[in-house]
Amino acid sequence: PRPSSSSSSSLSALSTATSSSSSTPGSEQEKPAWDIRLLHDGDCPLCQKEVTFLRDQDRGRGKIDFVDISAEDYSPAANRGVTFPVAMETIHGITAAGEVITGIEVFEKAYKAVGLGWVYGFTRVPALLRAANTVYDFWARYRLRVTGRPGLKEVLEAGGGLSQVNQSSLIRILPHFVIRRVLVKRHPMTRRAHAC
């Protein structure tokens, strides 16, 4: 269980267990095989749909290292110091070089890693990137409530991840899910993957 948010020291030291991957980006060790480590909320049903999609597109190549921040063994130390509360505020990724990235840039790099970088090609236009980040930040701020869960403060006070999902919230769709569904489904390279 996650500790209470009442102590600032407990926020920065939520867990000391190791993450699911043995390679710590930016360390003295050799470069990891993956292109990006994606820190995701395993208790978020819509986030899990995105993770499932990216895993399917990865086809076992290991280009993305998926780390569930809601797992009992999540370790900020193994993930460039990104704590559970910080990771819950917005999506975080870690490049193979050890750089921590957030927001739409994480999706752009994850899609690029699995050969779908063109989906987020619009992010090369600064105004469109700013707009996409604004929309994503709005989603990130309210995603717990949208998916039928209490806010971050309540999650921390309750001891971490919650798996109670309001089914009606699943009808709501993330902005990047819309982009993916419109563009990827129509692309000839991915049409077979979505034939169901």
Side-chain angles (χ1 to χ4, degrees), residues 102-159:
T102 61
I104 295 297
E105 185 178 5
V106 175
F107 297 109
E108 186 270 327
K109 296 219 182 293
Y111 274 64
K112 183 177 180 183
V114 296
L116 297 173
W118 57 269
V119 172
Y120 281 89
F122 72 91
T123 62
R124 289 189 287 272
V125 178
L128 295 177
L129 175 59
R130 280 192 303 277
N133 272 315
T134 299
V135 171
Y136 180 77
D137 290 346
F138 180 82
W139 157 255
R141 187 174 305 117
Y142 296 105
R143 75 180 175 81
L144 291 171
R145 299 258 187 231
V146 168
T147 58
R149 300 186 296 162
L152 181 57
K153 180 179 177 185
E154 291 85 5
V155 168
L156 293 173
E157 289 172 354

